[in-house]
Amino acid sequence: MSKKSVKYLTTGEFAKLCKVNKQTLFYYDQIGLLTPVFKNEKGYRYYSINQLELFYVIDLLKDLDMSLQDIQQYTENKSPEKFLSLMYQKKEEIVRKRQEIEMKEKIIDAKITLMEEASKIDFNQISLEELPEATLYLSKNIENVSDEEFGNVISEFIEELSESQLDSGYPIGGITKREQVLKGEYSNYSYLYIEQPTPKEGYPYFKAVKGDFLIGYHIGEDKTIHHTYEKMFAEMDRLQLTLGEHVFEEYIYDTIVQNQKENYVTKIMIQVIK
């Protein structure tokens, strides 16, 4: 069958079907990625309808972050076996990206919920509440470590949360043991933590036990947090409560939502015994 008896598409027609400009097709031809079926004596390019599928696959691979050079290498040595292998590889990448997007969506949902709840809180109020059991993922022990070691642990903890997809969107907090609190060492945390509403299997977790907690909010910098603790201890005495095993601290408002340190808000949850 001669070329004249077969329906071919001009560059403009083919570009319109592919939803790209003609320059894209010129470039693909130039680098040997997608060559027209033939060119006439005037240099006009003509494409076959059968080449649409090749263009769609090239476009798909580009969307999946495959370079034109790598796509070209495939097209120069393509085979059914290589195509199948490439599709399996790209499917694995899509699954991984989908999991990453779903994790980010959960993080955003958690932050929206927490911020909406924070907008309804009276930060000047101290309240006695019964908190449910919570599952926490902990950092390495940081009790009595140097500032340099503390920075290293934070860095490792954040990296671990990212790599293991354990970032739940909840704030990173600090756990202080009873003996440190009694000595007034409120920032001498034993561990950093992040709450895990849906714990993943295969990881060690700390169970924050269900119980009574005195909850207050410190407004301002960390260096003045002892004033808020003193107010909360006074309230403990008034309610005839004794200090429990742990105190939990976490930011409500920090650098994410406030520019001035005096506007930071830290939530303090003191485990108490009636």
Side-chain angles (χ1 to χ4, degrees):
M1 183 180 289
S2 69
K3 292 184 175 66
K4 292 183 179 180
S5 64
V6 177
K7 173 60 179 172
Y8 290 102
L9 302 168
T10 65
T11 303
E13 291 170 334
F14 194 74
K16 186 176 181 180
L17 288 174
C18 296
K19 298 180 181 179
V20 295
N21 57 47
K22 291 192 290 185
Q23 283 68 31
T24 298
L25 296 180
F26 292 156
Y27 181 65
Y28 284 3
D29 181 19
Q30 180 183 342
I31 64 175
L33 185 59
L34 179 60
T35 302
V37 173
F38 78 95
K39 299 176 186 177
N40 66 14
E41 61 278 3
K42 293 183 178 181
Y44 292 124
R45 298 169 169 83
Y46 291 91
Y47 295 82
S48 165
I49 191 73
N50 295 328
Q51 290 180 291
L52 274 175
E53 187 63 27
L54 175 57
F55 177 88
Y56 292 151
V57 170
I58 293 171
D59 206 42
L60 171 65
L61 296 175
K62 275 179 58 186
D63 286 343
L64 296 175
D65 299 324
M66 191 170 176
S67 70
L68 288 179
Q69 182 179 1
D70 288 341
I71 297 173
Q72 183 182 9
Q73 287 178 357
Y74 163 74
T75 58
E76 289 176 351
N77 301 281
K78 54 182 176 281
S79 70
E81 294 78 16
K82 289 181 179 179
F83 179 73
L84 186 60
S85 175
L86 181 60
M87 290 298 100
Y88 274 124
Q89 175 189 333
K90 292 303 173 183
K91 181 177 180 179
E92 289 177 3
E93 291 177 9
I94 290 173
V95 169
R96 185 169 61 252
K97 287 182 179 180
R98 183 189 300 123
Q99 291 172 342
E100 291 173 355
I101 290 173
E102 288 174 351
M103 184 186 74
K104 290 175 181 176
E105 184 181 14
K106 289 179 181 179
I107 290 173
I108 290 173
D109 285 341
K111 292 188 180 300
I112 288 173
T113 299
L114 292 169
M115 200 54 55
E116 288 178 343
E117 291 175 351
S119 66
K120 302 171 185 176
I121 296 173
D122 179 1
F123 295 134
N124 295 305
Q125 182 181 8
I126 297 175
S127 60
L128 179 63
E129 300 179 25
E130 183 178 353
L131 298 183
E133 181 183 80
T135 302
L136 311 178
Y137 188 72
L138 304 185
S139 70
K140 295 177 181 177
N141 190 294
I142 54 174
E143 193 175 311
N144 299 318
V145 299
S146 66
D147 290 344
E148 183 179 356
E149 289 174 309
F150 182 71
N152 290 336
V153 170
I154 291 177
S155 179
E156 290 176 7
F157 188 56
I158 292 174
E159 186 175 349
E160 187 177 3
L161 293 178
S162 176
E163 290 183 354
S164 301
Q165 296 186 348
L166 293 170
D167 188 348
S168 60
Y170 282 72
I172 293 176
I175 302 177
T176 312
K177 292 180 180 177
R178 183 177 188 273
E179 51 266 33
Q180 309 304 331
V181 175
L182 288 174
K183 291 188 289 186
E185 298 177 354
Y186 308 123
S187 297
N188 188 3
Y189 305 123
S190 296
Y191 300 95
L192 300 176
Y193 73 87
I194 186 169
E195 188 171 343
Q196 300 285 294
T198 54
K200 295 175 65 175
E201 292 185 7
Y203 291 89
Y205 294 105
F206 174 81
K207 294 288 187 180
V209 297
K210 172 183 177 181
D212 295 316
F213 287 81
L214 196 67
I215 299 177
Y217 300 88
H218 172 66
I219 303 173
E221 298 183 60
D222 292 341
K223 64 183 181 181
T224 61
I225 201 168
H226 61 279
H227 295 308
T228 302
Y229 271 96
E230 289 166 4
K231 292 178 184 177
M232 295 182 72
F233 290 149
E235 183 67 6
M236 283 175 59
D237 291 340
R238 190 184 72 80
L239 296 174
Q240 298 183 344
L241 303 170
T242 56
L243 182 63
E245 291 300 315
H246 299 100
V247 174
F248 301 85
E249 279 185 20
E250 56 190 46
Y251 275 122
I252 300 296
Y253 294 159
D254 56 9
T255 54
I256 297 176
V257 298
Q258 294 287 358
N259 287 323
Q260 305 300 324
K261 289 183 179 180
E262 56 266 27
N263 295 325
Y264 290 1
V265 178
T266 305
K267 183 178 183 180
I268 303 172
M269 294 163 280
I270 301 178
Q271 189 177 19
V272 294
I273 301 170
K274 293 182 180 179

